[in-house]
Amino acid sequence: MPTAVLTDHERAAVQAYLRLLGTVRAAFDGPPDGRRPPMVPPGALAEAEQALAAAGLAGNEEAFFRLLHTWCPTP
């Protein structure tokens, strides 16, 4: 259960990151195709970058991952 109170921008950054993570997992979990590597849609990456910038977390991965872990801890 999340314990941190996030700003709207922080919540948007976490949600965009989680969507990007799901997209990357789907790309790598797809059927193997030796002809070309898995591809992540540029829009998914752009959304995450914009959300991080709006939250003031662009270029500060340590703060972002600390925030992510506080809000969505792993078991």
Side-chain angles (χ1 to χ4, degrees):
M1 188 70 144
T3 57
V5 177
L6 304 179
T7 68
D8 289 342
H9 289 303
E10 290 170 336
R11 186 173 19 268
V14 169
Q15 290 170 339
Y17 169 76
L18 293 174
R19 281 192 294 276
L20 177 61
L21 184 59
T23 301
V24 169
R25 284 182 176 160
F28 279 94
D29 287 345
D33 182 358
R35 294 178 291 176
R36 56 183 210 191
M39 189 167 135
V40 175
L45 185 55
E47 176 195 15
E49 288 176 346
Q50 288 172 343
L52 287 170
L57 296 167
N60 194 346
E61 291 81 8
E62 182 180 342
F64 173 71
F65 284 111
R66 187 172 39 251
L67 173 73
L68 181 65
H69 179 72
T70 300
W71 189 71
C72 187
T74 56

